[in-house]
Amino acid sequence: SFISRLPASLSPDTMRYLIAAASAGYLANCDAFVSPRTFTTTNSLVPVVNNDIPHPPSFQTTALTASVAALHDESLAPGIQAIDAALPTLAPLFAELRSLPYFRLYSCDMLASCEYIPQELFECYTESCEIYPVDDDEVPTDIKMADFKEHEFELDGWARWDMPSEDYYDTLLFPEDYTGYDGAEVWRFIHDRIGFHEGAMSADEYDADDWKADFNKAVSGLHAMVSAQVIKGMKEKINSGEGLDPDSYEWTDPSVEFNRRLGPQGETPEAVENLYFTMMLLLSGVRAARDRLLMDCDMGKVGDAQACQVLRSILTHPVFDDPSIEAASHRLRTHALKNSNSLWEARMRTRDLMRIMNCVQCNKCRFHGKISTLGLSTALQLSVGHRGTGGDVVKTHRVELAALVSAVGKFSSGIDLCLEMQP
């Protein structure tokens, strides 16, 4: 009978729910409790969740395309499907976006001291660690004026960018790369000291019913993206014939590194799921900032007509109008509204997350780490603000918007790498 097939480990409440649902006829044609949620695909770029029948809790988990690991948070499944479907058309647009000065130029303090851990001077083994400022005349006057005008910040705000100077660095000239630098010490500090581990997080670090678990999950997703970029750089060096000298590069096998960093049996089994979670937060952030970005386009702040066309092509992509990508932001806001008085801790820790990047002794890694961190912080700011209800996009600075959109491009590339590495 139906009842005899139910697992004996079910709680009494869940057992009563299923018996009642069966009695009401809801389960006559429903297999949600014995198989993953099903998806149907329309002619659009994104999938549609089949929710015609009231579903009881699922006892099976959805498998990720980018990993053999099963999802821990099933509410993310439709959004992950939407992202995977969108990548083939979204990724090329971000490749074009990288050429726009608005999104590639950042005034960044590359000489700031590490304030968190004692360090010996590290000399990068490869020249690829170094970056150099561009000539002053290569930075549009509008960008310099905007950054100097927007230098003020809230003392109790989210992560704050470095004070603007005459030194601007270019992500197009110095893209993400595998430099051979080992940032394990910095990441260990981030996860151990900046992450949350008390209370419910001691039992479930990433999926507890608390905004602090959401914060941990987002930071883990940031780490997963960086790992994906490292592996991608490794593959590119090998494919180009450049090779990886063991004396300069500690890690030389992309498959081994993928399994160690991002595999289900690796250091963080949920790494790829967390990568998607953070990507959803960033997509929601861009969606929230869409009108502001389009307004900046109309005012000529983003660049010429061709530059605006590239940005508009991204902002009008169907994935930004798919409600499923809001799953991560909805989860975060729901948790934040339950305990909005403690959100100051999230703001403080994003500031710590930004400053710990000054402990990264590979300048290229530091540069891109700061941009990615600011992008994540901006997404969190727009999602929950100070009280859990969201931030004011009008007050968002040029550099924050640029980092937010650039971070989506970085995560798109990272997810693409994960899909590529699957057998």
Side-chain angles (χ1 to χ4, degrees):
S1 67
F2 162 73
I3 296 176
S4 66
R5 296 198 307 270
L6 294 176
S9 59
L10 293 181
S11 69
D13 287 342
T14 302
M15 188 76 78
R16 284 193 294 272
Y17 177 92
L18 291 173
I19 293 172
S23 301
Y26 287 152
L27 304 182
N29 298 306
C30 179
D31 62 354
F33 56 93
V34 294
S35 66
R37 297 180 75 179
T38 58
F39 295 85
T40 58
T41 304
T42 66
N43 291 329
S44 65
L45 289 171
V46 294
V48 177
V49 184
N50 185 352
N51 271 336
D52 296 335
I53 303 171
H55 281 49
S58 173
F59 305 120
Q60 298 283 328
T61 50
T62 303
L64 292 166
T65 305
S67 171
V68 297
L71 274 177
H72 288 74
D73 183 352
E74 284 286 320
S75 72
L76 303 178
I80 291 172
Q81 293 268 348
I83 291 169
D84 286 348
L87 277 182
T89 52
L90 193 62
L93 295 175
F94 277 102
E96 290 187 61
L97 192 79
R98 292 180 71 99
S99 65
L100 305 184
Y102 186 97
F103 297 102
R104 77 174 208 246
L105 294 171
Y106 299 85
S107 180
C108 185
D109 185 355
M110 302 306 301
L111 300 176
S113 300
C114 176
E115 303 172 359
Y116 291 88
I117 46 182
Q119 293 182 309
E120 295 181 2
L121 180 63
F122 169 81
E123 294 292 344
C124 189
Y125 293 123
T126 66
E127 292 182 0
S128 58
C129 283
E130 288 306 323
I131 64 174
Y132 305 96
V134 300
D135 293 338
D136 185 62
D137 59 3
E138 295 182 31
V139 184
T141 302
D142 289 348
I143 288 180
K144 288 191 286 188
M145 289 179 61
D147 291 348
F148 273 83
K149 182 180 178 181
E150 297 173 340
H151 72 277
E152 294 184 356
F153 56 86
E154 293 182 65
L155 288 176
D156 187 32
W158 296 83
R160 61 183 71 121
W161 189 249
D162 298 331
M163 285 291 106
S165 70
E166 295 298 322
D167 289 340
Y168 275 76
Y169 297 85
D170 190 339
T171 60
L172 190 63
L173 289 178
F174 301 101
E176 301 91 337
D177 193 10
Y178 173 41
T179 65
Y181 172 72
D182 184 357
E185 183 182 33
V186 174
W187 282 114
R188 191 176 305 114
F189 184 95
I190 289 171
H191 292 300
D192 292 349
R193 303 291 298 278
I194 297 179
F196 295 94
H197 304 288
E198 298 178 354
M201 279 60 64
S202 63
D204 193 343
E205 184 178 9
Y206 301 127
D207 295 298
D209 187 17
D210 195 303
W211 68 257
K212 295 178 180 179
D214 302 334
F215 181 90
N216 290 345
K217 198 174 186 75
V219 172
S220 174
L222 177 68
H223 190 179
M225 182 276 291
V226 172
S227 293
Q229 295 290 353
V230 168
I231 297 165
K232 179 185 176 185
M234 198 180 300
K235 285 172 62 69
E236 289 174 349
K237 288 186 185 300
I238 293 173
N239 293 338
S240 69
E242 179 180 343
L244 296 171
D245 181 359
D247 292 334
S248 300
Y249 297 98
E250 180 178 353
W251 312 295
T252 58
D253 189 326
S255 296
V256 170
E257 285 309 302
F258 181 84
N259 292 331
R260 179 174 75 87
R261 298 166 183 254
L262 300 171
Q265 306 302 322
E267 296 171 349
T268 308
E270 286 186 58
V272 175
E273 176 179 338
N274 297 347
L275 175 70
Y276 278 105
F277 180 83
T278 312
M279 173 66 155
M280 288 186 208
L281 289 177
L282 294 167
L283 289 171
S284 296
V286 173
R287 180 175 176 172
R290 180 161 51 183
D291 289 344
R292 162 67 189 279
L293 286 163
L294 291 172
M295 181 180 69
D296 283 0
C297 259
D298 293 338
M299 297 175 65
K301 294 181 178 180
V302 173
D304 58 18
Q306 184 178 359
C308 284
Q309 182 57 44
V310 173
L311 180 58
R312 288 179 189 277
S313 297
I314 291 174
L315 298 179
T316 56
H317 193 284
V319 73
F320 290 103
D321 293 311
D322 189 315
S324 67
I325 66 163
E326 294 289 329
S329 185
H330 175 75
R331 169 179 147 171
L332 173 61
R333 278 196 300 269
T334 300
H335 288 152
L337 287 170
K338 291 180 181 178
N339 190 16
S340 61
N341 288 334
S342 67
L343 282 177
W344 64 269
E345 295 182 75
R347 299 192 297 275
M348 179 184 70
R349 297 204 186 198
T350 59
R351 299 194 298 269
D352 286 327
L353 189 60
M354 176 63 78
R355 290 201 297 270
I356 190 66
M357 292 299 157
N358 290 327
C359 298
V360 176
Q361 292 184 283
C362 159
N363 282 341
K364 183 180 288 184
C365 310
R366 176 188 294 204
F367 179 47
H368 285 281
K370 285 188 173 186
I371 294 171
S372 302
T373 299
L374 184 63
L376 172 58
S377 173
T378 304
L380 295 173
Q381 175 184 342
L382 293 174
S383 179
V384 298
H386 274 57
R387 305 297 300 174
T389 55
D392 185 357
V393 70
V394 175
K395 297 180 180 178
T396 309
H397 295 171
R398 193 284 304 186
V399 70
E400 293 172 326
L401 292 171
L404 173 65
V405 177
S406 295
V408 176
K410 292 175 183 292
F411 274 76
S412 297
S413 176
I415 292 172
D416 193 53
L417 180 281
C418 293
L419 291 168
E420 179 186 325
M421 294 295 290
Q422 296 311 304

